[in-house]
Amino acid sequence: MTPRLFVAIGSSHLFGLIDRYIGPVSSAKYRSVWSTGVPFREPIELDAPPGWRGEQVLYNTPVAGPPPMLKDGVLYIPDVLTGVLGHIPQEAEVIFSLLRGQEFAIAALVDDPSHADFLGDDGQMEPDRRWMSRTDALAWVRQIAEPLWTTHLALRQQFPRARIVHVPAPPPVESHEHIAANPEAFGQLFAVHGIKPFAMRQRIYRLMYGDLNQRLAQMGVVSLAPPAGALTENGGLKADFARGCLHGNELYAELLARQIREVLADVPPL
């Protein structure tokens, strides 16, 4: 009997899974992804339930071009993105999407005293900050998440029969010290503007993904919750589970793999 196929596709948010279950993402075999822009596809073993086999598709987000654009009810998909999604085999029954996920990075990480804050679900906001209404905040985060939204519209359009599972970026790292010590590409911006307080970063993340996940659900895309074992009491990402200041590491990947196995165990045959 031919094994059923699941695929995990993404860019930097896929690094943890590759490092943990395949080999160092820094190895030479992945260099072509960054030098040529051509995605790299290979098997990935996540101890999936019997009858399943997995593959990963690693691509370079900037090379994939601008995100799709939804205008007057018509989705315009760049040819280069169509080519990226074309690396997913049509027989894939489940697609775990780690696509994009960086749109909110600067807005949520880099601080400036002039940045407005808004009331969270707990009724809290940072003192001495300019106030933003909840309506304006929602419009702002929805605009930030638009590339994520339209990219998943394209994925849904290209694979109408597959079960699509959105794997969100990890919640913000709670430790200010960890972010300062692992700034990735934001070092100069942090030096000038500082790092947003965790509470503000968390409010942005929760509002953005709360809205996005509802919109994705309306088109049949399921969103995973961040794995609880990687979170602090306040819901932030534990520093031990972070890769840099935005991503999950191999420990985080182990928890994602457990979630993936749980999803696969519950998928009926097509």
Side-chain angles (χ1 to χ4, degrees):
M1 181 177 177
T2 304
R4 305 166 72 185
L5 176 65
F6 72 89
V7 173
I9 180 171
S11 188
S12 58
H13 287 294
L14 200 56
F15 287 0
L17 283 168
I18 293 174
D19 278 336
R20 173 61 182 84
Y21 293 99
I22 299 178
V25 76
S26 58
S27 66
K29 73 174 180 176
Y30 299 113
R31 289 177 187 165
S32 63
V33 176
W34 319 117
S35 62
T36 68
V38 178
F40 190 96
R41 174 181 154 198
E42 66 182 333
I44 185 169
E45 175 55 60
L46 301 180
D47 298 323
W52 286 97
R53 66 182 180 90
E55 294 186 356
Q56 69 90 5
V57 177
L58 178 68
Y59 80 108
N60 185 357
T61 301
V63 175
M69 179 181 297
L70 184 64
K71 185 176 182 180
D72 298 327
V74 178
L75 185 65
Y76 298 89
I77 307 173
D79 290 341
V80 66
L81 179 60
T82 299
V84 168
L85 299 183
H87 283 74
I88 302 174
Q90 283 295 322
E91 66 268 24
E93 292 190 38
V94 185
I95 301 170
F96 293 93
S97 168
L98 291 83
L99 293 161
R100 309 195 70 95
Q102 299 297 76
E103 282 71 20
F104 65 97
I106 292 180
L109 273 170
V110 180
D111 197 15
D112 186 301
S114 68
H115 287 183
D117 198 7
F118 57 91
L119 291 174
D121 294 333
D122 58 0
Q124 300 295 315
M125 66 174 287
E126 287 296 300
D128 303 321
R129 294 276 178 159
R130 182 168 57 87
W131 176 76
M132 185 193 313
S133 72
R134 185 83 171 188
T135 299
D136 287 345
L138 182 58
W140 175 57
V141 297
R142 182 170 285 191
Q143 182 181 22
I144 293 172
E146 186 71 5
L148 265 167
W149 161 245
T150 58
T151 297
H152 283 87
L153 279 175
L155 190 62
R156 175 80 287 170
Q157 179 177 299
Q158 296 292 315
F159 298 92
R161 298 180 67 241
R163 177 173 293 198
I164 299 175
V165 181
H166 171 225
V167 183
V173 179
E174 182 166 354
S175 169
H176 185 103
E177 293 75 17
H178 177 87
I179 294 173
N182 300 272
E184 298 193 44
F186 304 98
Q188 291 185 339
L189 290 172
F190 290 159
V192 175
H193 302 286
I195 301 168
K196 266 192 175 70
F198 167 71
M200 287 184 71
R201 292 185 279 116
Q202 185 77 316
R203 275 190 286 278
I204 294 168
Y205 180 92
R206 287 177 170 172
L207 184 63
M208 186 186 75
Y209 273 116
D211 177 69
L212 176 64
N213 292 347
Q214 287 184 0
R215 298 172 72 199
L216 290 175
Q218 291 171 0
M219 63 173 174
V221 174
V222 176
S223 296
L224 295 181
L231 306 184
T232 67
E233 291 182 1
N234 295 317
L237 183 65
K238 295 177 181 176
D240 290 347
F241 287 79
R243 178 192 182 108
C245 62
L246 286 168
H247 303 88
N249 62 14
E250 292 183 47
L251 293 176
Y252 193 82
E254 290 180 6
L255 299 183
L256 286 184
R258 184 183 303 169
Q259 290 181 310
I260 288 171
R261 291 193 292 268
E262 291 172 354
V263 169
L264 295 175
D266 195 42
V267 178
L270 287 176

